[in-house]
Amino acid sequence: MPVYRDGSPVQLVGLQDLLQRAHEWRDLAEPNPLIRAGLRRFLTALTALLVRRTNTDADHWTQRMRDNSGFTVGEVRAVLDELQDRLWLYHPVSPFLQDPRLIEASLKPELKSFVELAAHLPGEGETAWFTKGSDPDMTGGLPPMAAARALVGRWYYTLNGNTAEVRAEGRTISSQQGSTFGEGPARLTHVFRVAGSLFGTLLRNLTTDLVIYPGTSSAGVAWADGDQPGPYDDPLYRYTMTGTSVLLGPPASDGRVVQVLRGPVPADPDRVKLLRESARDADPHRILIEGRTPGSQQTLRLSADDHRIETLNALRRPGWPGNPQLLSHGVISEERLWLPAGRQARHAEILELLLADKQGAATAPKWKHTATVTLSSVLLDPELTDLDGLLTACFAGTGAIEARLIWAVRLALARIDNKTGKRVAAPLKDGPVATAAGTARRLWLDAADRALDQVRAGQLTELQAQDQLWAAARTALRTATAPYAATTRYAASTITADRVLWRKPT
């Protein structure tokens, strides 16, 4: 796994080195957003298991977290010894994050290309999903270390879809239900806490449920159970379930992975669905807000295309009428975290969000855009009321700067109404209008991001930032409508539109 220390290049380390030196590493350096989030879940689960097997006294671990003393060699060795048969990429009985049951369960076993593990994440403007032949390192298979990381990403973030047919418990299953945390066709918004060291990060993502299991024994992690998903209520087991299966084919002569066997989990699909949905609903990395009706809940789903300030606005000011609040659920909230952090330490943390958009049919969606977005934890501090004032000025209602900017673009490209003969604002759906509005909005959001940083650094007051953002809106409007301003048709309307942004509407 790729990790780094401040001032040092990225290093690739194995699981033992990662855990034993977790207090030395700053953080993971995995660039793929889905694999990065999968690694965070995988390592958090290992940490929960390590704590369960050694000492679950919160005060003890809180002090060690403050001292950044790390895990002991004995603690790491004990948990890895327990899982040793599950950590081999190729193992005759229990290969790493794979399902040997596919050999017997598959009705027509067929080895597929390794791109089933290393699928191409589309960039901006792309719609293709599968790896292109021109992509680097995608022509000769995956090196074992890359395959291992890809298996982690697939275990946690595979989408629904059609796969090979398998026979399980007297039934034929022809489609996979996806990973527990893939969430079907819906957008993903998953949050993780990042502390000053990887050791602190691993501990701070533990919820009380993952560490303190009320039963007399613990089921452990689901990927160590050859019959998963099992009927266990253990939150740690549910946290590590999946709804899809894969098995690596024989390696090439140089060890590279070139083929895989894939399929749905060889188990009763109704039971898989029930357990998967239960685990998804309890996922501590999802963000819940108040729903439209009293007592209801809504999952917050943000777009990977959003600017950072839009993401912050959605977290501080969720979008339902009446200004609903984030609910005390999981990692986003201090209330369910196992180990507390002082105000200073908490404010020094980073909130890392996996944002993923999808496209296509609900039964077989594809990734459209994925991103890892980071926000300083202090930005969610309710005491920072100046941020709420700035965000309100930017986004709240028709009088907000963003709304006025879009209205100004529509006025700048006004058209003649056929019935009245008067100029009216152009509809946003018109191609040129949509293009100009998109350009103006992107330019202004970039400026809003910078203003946010200046407010946080004490370089601007809230009111100064608002003045700066009204000016930025005017600049964005002029830039986006510049091709039209010199024309006879639009010269007057662009001047009128500019005036819309010269004052703050009352």
Side-chain angles (χ1 to χ4, degrees), residues 342-363:
R343 187 174 185 272
Q344 183 175 357
R346 187 170 66 253
H347 283 185
E349 291 179 342
I350 298 296
L351 294 177
E352 180 177 290
L353 292 101
L354 165 66
L355 304 181
D357 298 338
K358 302 166 189 173
Q359 61 186 359
T363 55

Side-chain angles (χ1 to χ4, degrees), residues 140-463:
L142 280 178
M145 66 180 70
R149 295 196 298 274
L151 284 169
V152 174
R154 181 181 174 85
W155 183 274
Y156 289 102
Y157 289 108
T158 303
L159 297 178
N160 299 345
N162 296 321
T163 61
E165 292 186 340
V166 301
R167 189 75 176 170
E169 301 182 23
R171 299 178 62 178
T172 298
I173 312 168
S174 59
S175 62
Q176 70 182 10
Q177 297 186 28
S179 300
T180 299
F181 308 111
E183 301 195 35
R187 284 175 173 170
L188 291 186
T189 300
H190 294 164
V191 61
F192 305 86
R193 286 187 177 268
V194 180
S197 72
L198 187 54
F199 176 67
T201 295
L202 295 176
L203 291 175
R204 281 287 283 162
N205 280 278
L206 296 177
T207 61
T208 302
D209 289 346
L210 291 179
V211 176
I212 309 298
Y213 180 55
T216 56
S217 63
S218 169
V221 290
W223 48 262
D225 177 13
D227 296 320
Q228 88 87 30
Y232 303 106
D233 291 329
D234 187 344
L236 179 58
Y237 189 94
R238 298 290 179 89
Y239 180 75
T240 50
M241 286 172 46
T242 192
T244 184
S245 296
V246 68
L247 184 65
L248 301 186
S253 58
D254 61 357
R256 287 177 174 260
V257 174
V258 292
Q259 293 178 311
V260 298
L261 184 67
R262 62 183 175 87
V265 172
D268 176 55
D270 294 330
R271 179 165 59 88
V272 172
K273 180 179 180 181
L274 178 65
L275 294 174
R276 189 189 67 156
E277 291 180 351
S278 173
R280 178 202 62 200
D281 292 343
D283 181 20
H285 299 290
R286 291 202 305 167
I287 303 173
L288 299 182
I289 62 174
E290 297 172 356
R292 294 179 182 272
T293 58
S296 65
Q297 297 179 348
Q298 179 77 24
T299 302
L300 186 64
R301 302 192 185 279
L302 309 178
S303 173
D305 292 325
D306 288 346
H307 268 62
R308 182 173 59 112
I309 193 169
E310 292 180 285
T311 302
L312 175 62
N313 181 58
L315 291 173
R316 285 193 70 96
R317 304 174 58 257
W320 299 129
N323 192 25
Q325 302 298 311
L326 296 179
L327 299 177
S328 298
H329 172 84
V331 172
I332 197 71
S333 166
E334 284 290 306
E335 293 185 23
R336 287 190 58 185
L337 293 182
W338 180 52
L339 298 183
R343 187 174 185 272
Q344 183 175 357
R346 187 170 66 253
H347 283 185
E349 291 179 342
I350 298 296
L351 294 177
E352 180 177 290
L353 292 101
L354 165 66
L355 304 181
D357 298 338
K358 302 166 189 173
Q359 61 186 359
T363 55
K366 304 296 182 185
W367 301 110
K368 181 181 180 182
H369 184 197
T370 63
T372 300
V373 176
T374 58
L375 290 171
S376 174
S377 176
V378 71
L379 293 175
L380 293 189
D381 191 325
E383 297 177 6
L384 297 180
T385 55
D386 56 339
L387 289 183
D388 290 324
L390 179 61
L391 294 172
T392 297
C394 287
F395 300 110
T398 57
I401 304 175
E402 180 190 41
R404 299 294 290 182
L405 173 60
I406 301 303
W407 175 248
V409 172
R410 294 177 60 195
L411 287 179
L413 303 184
R415 65 182 185 179
I416 303 298
D417 185 89
N418 293 330
K419 294 182 179 181
T420 65
K422 297 181 179 179
R423 284 187 175 273
V424 294
L428 192 57
K429 65 181 180 180
D430 284 1
V433 182
T435 299
T439 299
R441 186 172 178 274
R442 284 194 299 273
L443 292 171
W444 178 77
L445 285 170
D446 287 341
D449 266 346
R450 293 191 295 270
L452 173 67
D453 289 336
Q454 290 176 299
V455 171
R456 283 289 305 118
Q459 299 169 353
L460 290 177
T461 66
E462 176 200 332
L463 293 179

